Amino acid sequence: EAQVTQNPRYLITVTGKKLTVTCSQNMNHEYMSWYRQDPGLGLRQIYYSMNVEVTDKGDVPEGYKVSRKEKRNFPLILESPSPNQTSLYFCASSLMVGFGYTFGSGTRLTVV
Amino acid sequence: GIQVEQSPPDLILQEGANSTLRCNFSDSVNNLQWFHQNPWGQLINLFYIPSGTKQNGRLSATTVATERYSLLYISSSQTTDSGVYFCAVLNDYKLSFGAGTTVTVRA
């Protein structure tokens, strides 16, 4: 089944403890992206990747890192999480930029 | 950046009713998509529709790119249609989302 898989689905962590949210797609898509969704602010792009080893900042990149060492994986790294990063996170992929997006199931992160 | 406006913000329907959701955008776009976020938070791609009309079961969508709007039609609504409907347009390598229309279908 063609899909974007995110893990974990739910995570509660403490301020400052490094964490990684994984994202993997099995559709051989070139383009991948991370979004966060917050009440009243909608969905905002954090980082995107046009292809392996090509990443760039979105609208809200502060406090996040990404890497794209393989085409299928695009992990989101929070080196020192803070409570303002409590949010619902989505990974998405598409064949190329400009094509239809497939979203993962989301990761609900709480930083206390 | 491009502005995406959706209307109405909220919609309450009786099961079986039809409805139209609207998405206006402030600049020309090459890519417009409609998504449904279900009550469990999952985002499902409904349509990739930069122009023209598409249908998928009880849902259909029309985009008139030259006039900068898109419409999503829900016919014979069911309770499973409840959730938030987003339109999103491609702008500088990212999808810019509207604020969404929250649809509640009552049995």
Side-chain angles (χ1 to χ4, degrees), chain A residues 31 35 37 45 59 98 101, chain B residues 31 33 37 45 48 93-94:
Chain A
Y31 181 87
Y35 286 80
Q37 185 178 24
Q45 189 185 54
D59 293 325
Y101 279 41
Chain B
N31 179 325
Q33 301 181 46
Q37 187 167 37
N45 192 316
Y48 165 67
Y93 307 116
K94 72 172 185 283

Side-chain angles (χ1 to χ4, degrees), chain A residues 4 23 31-35 74 90-94 101-104:
Chain A
V4 177
C23 175
Y31 181 87
M32 298 184 75
S33 181
W34 278 101
Y35 286 80
F74 190 45
F90 288 100
C91 179
S93 75
S94 67
Y101 279 41
T102 301
F103 278 82

Side-chain angles (χ1 to χ4, degrees), chain A:
Chain A
E1 179 187 354
Q3 59 186 357
V4 177
T5 303
Q6 288 180 235
N7 280 297
R9 291 292 309 278
Y10 302 92
L11 179 61
I12 300 173
T13 190
V14 295
T15 299
K17 185 176 181 182
K18 181 179 179 179
L19 67 92
T20 299
V21 183
T22 63
C23 175
S24 181
Q25 51 92 5
N26 62 1
M27 296 167 281
N28 202 34
H29 284 174
E30 290 187 356
Y31 181 87
M32 298 184 75
S33 181
W34 278 101
Y35 286 80
R36 62 178 288 175
Q37 185 178 24
D38 303 288
L41 297 175
L43 283 128
R44 296 176 293 169
Q45 189 185 54
I46 304 171
Y47 269 95
Y48 66 92
S49 170
M50 303 285 280
N51 212 325
V52 176
E53 303 291 2
V54 181
T55 63
D56 208 345
K57 297 176 181 178
D59 293 325
V60 288
E62 294 78 20
Y64 304 96
K65 285 176 58 176
V66 293
S67 68
R68 188 94 181 270
K69 293 183 170 53
E70 307 165 278
K71 199 170 189 178
R72 64 183 295 125
N73 295 323
F74 190 45
L76 180 70
I77 303 157
L78 285 73
E79 296 253 342
S80 183
S82 62
N84 65 13
Q85 293 178 297
T86 293
S87 187
L88 178 58
Y89 290 86
F90 288 100
C91 179
S93 75
S94 67
L95 183 62
M96 289 183 286
V97 66
F99 284 69
Y101 279 41
T102 301
F103 278 82
S105 297
T107 295
R108 192 168 292 280
L109 173 66
T110 301
V111 184
V112 298

Side-chain angles (χ1 to χ4, degrees), chain B residues 35-92:
Chain B
F35 296 90
H36 175 223
Q37 187 167 37
N38 64 26
W40 296 271
Q42 292 182 309
L43 275 166
I44 308 298
N45 192 316
L46 299 175
F47 294 103
Y48 165 67
I49 184 166
S51 64
T53 297
K54 289 187 178 180
Q55 180 152 8
N56 184 1
R58 295 180 296 100
L59 301 180
S60 64
T62 295
T63 297
V64 183
T66 53
E67 297 187 23
R68 301 180 185 170
Y69 73 89
S70 183
L71 302 173
L72 179 70
Y73 305 96
I74 305 174
S75 64
S76 303
S77 58
Q78 300 178 358
T79 56
T80 51
D81 295 330
S82 295
V84 184
Y85 290 80
F86 292 100
C87 73
V89 299
L90 186 69
N91 179 38
D92 290 336

